[in-house]
Amino acid sequence: MLNDLAYFLNGVSLMFFLMAAIRVTVYALQGASRPHRLFAICLAWMVVIEAKEFFLSYDPAYQYEVLAPGYTFPDLFTLPLLSLFFFELVMPGRITGRYALRLLTPFLLLAGAYAAGSLCMPRTHYLSFGALLGDLPAFLPSVLLLYVLYAVGYCIFALVRIIGYSIRYAEQITQAYSFTERIHLRWMRWMSAVLAFYLVSYVGIIAFTCSPLYTNFIYAMSLCVWALLYGCIMEYRTPEIIRDYWQKQSAAPEPEESPTEQSGRIAVLRQQVAAAIGERRLYLDPGLTIVDLATECGTNRTHLSQFFNNELGMPFRDYINRCRIEHATRLMEQNSYKIEELAQLAGFGSTTTFYRAFAKEKGMTPQQWQETAYAQKIRGGDFDPADLPPLVPGPE
């Protein structure tokens, strides 16, 4: 019964990956999206893996013969392909063909060495995995061990790199956007877990290829993981500003300013930001980006980002959300609003974002704020840590 279930899950997986690969490929060709192209390659590779399992795994000779470990090598090749896709998400535009080739070549060479060595061996059927290893030529177990060790080392390298650049990516989001809807990849925190899952499962497959229970577990978990990834990537769009942040590293350095020039520029920028925020109330635009505000102030995003971080002590998004929260509290002092209406009037793109920002700024929910005596007081100017002029006037 377990074997029948495994065969059924194998067929379901094959159809899922085939349909998903077709859809993502069409989407990638229409939108010219690098992450979608890489994800389409990953899905196409999984189609090959599932087709291999569908036609070979249930042949009794497949379980314990010289070629059996070699059949699993393509499974481990999923690890570098997935990591390249994850790298592209957290480092948009940085993954080149040469970089990818350096990561993939050891997998190809070790798999090729095992395949070449196994061609000289008869297709003997063994009773156990240990007996198979004992009868292999001396170099084949070494190649198999090197392949697994490289996969483990590669995954550790990928995990560290993904975590580090995910943190940097999140920081860049706060520097460039005043909103998080559809651009803040909270699901990125699970990418390392996905790679770890595949590392453990594939190494386990090498050692426990005859366990139907283990095989069924891997099929079920794999379908869940890939379905979640598929849903996330179909909703994902690479933020243009974030892509530009990576490109700026190769730009020529700007000439140094004297302390007097820098002080004068900051004073002018302070007045421009005060006018854009206090008079024109740009923070009420849910889609406001740092480029929009920089254009309004007649500067560039680099200088404006430095101004927020160095002079105001907070990134762009935190400052704009602080202005929005201050505006929302003034609205609550004058009238009673539904939370959904209040979030929209204050410039938030969603109620969830409003709740999160309000709790971070005030230490309580909007409902709790409305229920306290503080809602009857006017608290002008205390939210500005840089002694700017009052930037958020009362609602008209």
Side-chain angles (χ1 to χ4, degrees):
M1 181 177 178
L2 289 176
N3 285 329
D4 293 337
L5 178 60
Y7 200 68
F8 171 76
L9 291 175
N10 188 184
V12 172
S13 299
L14 178 58
M15 293 306 301
F16 166 77
F17 286 116
L18 181 60
M19 299 302 297
I22 293 173
R23 183 177 179 188
V24 175
T25 299
V26 172
Y27 183 86
L29 293 176
Q30 292 175 344
S33 169
R34 283 173 57 94
H36 290 87
R37 285 199 298 267
L38 286 172
F39 192 63
I41 293 174
C42 293
L43 290 171
W45 183 252
M46 290 303 297
V47 171
V48 175
I49 297 298
E50 295 301 329
K52 180 259 298 182
E53 296 294 326
F54 190 82
F55 292 107
L56 294 177
S57 293
Y58 305 100
D59 179 1
Y62 167 80
Q63 300 296 336
Y64 292 120
E65 65 175 27
V66 173
L67 293 179
Y71 288 139
T72 309
F73 280 179
D75 298 43
L76 283 170
F77 197 67
T78 307
L79 297 173
L81 289 179
L82 260 179
S83 65
L84 288 175
F85 162 66
F86 292 150
F87 288 162
E88 177 61 28
L89 287 180
V90 297
M91 298 181 288
R94 291 287 297 276
I95 304 304
T96 64
R98 180 177 299 180
Y99 181 82
L101 186 61
R102 288 203 306 267
L103 296 181
L104 300 180
T105 296
F107 285 92
L108 296 174
L109 292 178
L110 290 170
Y114 189 95
S118 63
L119 291 177
C120 303
M121 295 294 296
R123 293 173 62 93
T124 305
H125 185 211
Y126 298 90
L127 296 179
S128 69
F129 186 72
L132 184 152
L133 289 179
D135 200 40
L136 286 177
F139 73 92
L140 287 187
S142 299
V143 171
L144 181 63
L145 179 62
L146 284 174
Y147 193 90
V148 174
L149 289 179
Y150 181 78
V152 173
Y154 174 86
C155 275
I156 294 174
F157 157 78
L159 296 179
V160 172
R161 196 168 180 82
I162 289 171
I163 291 172
Y165 279 96
S166 295
I167 295 173
R168 183 174 176 181
Y169 182 98
E171 292 173 351
Q172 291 171 348
I173 288 291
T174 64
Q175 301 291 348
Y177 289 88
S178 68
F179 56 95
T180 60
E181 295 80 11
R182 295 174 65 91
I183 63 168
H184 194 76
L185 306 184
R186 291 185 177 85
W187 53 276
M188 278 186 176
R189 68 188 64 176
W190 300 107
M191 292 189 300
S192 299
V194 172
L195 280 179
F197 161 73
Y198 272 102
L199 174 65
V200 173
S201 63
Y202 285 149
V203 172
I205 286 173
I206 292 177
F208 307 108
T209 53
C210 65
S211 172
L213 184 61
Y214 184 84
T215 302
N216 288 328
F217 170 76
I218 295 302
Y219 274 134
M221 290 297 296
S222 181
L223 272 174
C224 293
V225 168
W226 281 96
L228 288 173
L229 283 177
Y230 173 78
C232 291
I233 193 60
M234 290 305 293
E235 294 295 324
Y236 174 68
R237 307 293 182 271
T238 303
E240 293 294 334
I241 299 178
I242 297 301
R243 184 185 298 117
D244 292 341
Y245 265 83
W246 289 105
Q247 301 301 324
K248 80 173 183 179
Q249 293 182 353
S250 59
E254 296 183 4
E256 294 185 2
E257 294 179 311
S258 67
T260 302
E261 292 174 334
Q262 185 179 27
S263 177
R265 178 176 59 80
I266 291 175
V268 172
L269 187 56
R270 182 184 297 271
Q271 295 174 354
Q272 293 171 330
V273 171
I277 296 299
E279 298 174 11
R280 297 188 290 278
R281 298 195 293 183
L282 295 186
Y283 58 88
L284 296 181
D285 177 8
L288 182 67
T289 69
I290 197 169
V291 172
D292 299 330
L293 184 57
T295 301
E296 192 75 17
C297 295
T299 184
N300 59 57
R301 67 151 193 253
T302 301
H303 287 157
L304 190 57
S305 180
Q306 292 173 348
F307 172 77
F308 282 116
N309 288 310
N310 300 333
E311 301 300 320
L312 303 188
M314 65 184 72
F316 166 74
R317 188 183 66 192
D318 289 354
Y319 178 79
I320 296 301
N321 280 345
R322 174 169 288 190
C323 293
R324 290 169 175 169
I325 294 301
E326 185 70 13
H327 185 80
T329 57
R330 292 177 185 272
L331 290 174
M332 285 190 286
E333 290 165 2
Q334 293 190 355
N335 203 344
S336 177
Y337 293 94
K338 294 182 179 179
I339 299 301
E340 293 78 9
E341 295 175 336
L342 198 60
Q344 184 177 9
L345 290 172
F348 286 95
S350 70
T351 305
T352 302
T353 306
F354 174 56
Y355 266 100
R356 188 182 301 112
F358 198 98
K360 178 181 178 181
E361 180 66 26
K362 300 299 183 182
M364 63 180 70
T365 66
Q367 292 95 331
Q368 291 172 331
W369 179 271
Q370 286 181 318
E371 293 170 0
T372 62
Y374 293 106
Q376 306 300 323
K377 298 179 181 179
I378 298 177
R379 299 162 295 103
D382 62 339
F383 76 100
D384 185 4
D387 296 325
L388 285 172
L391 299 184
V392 186
E396 297 175 357

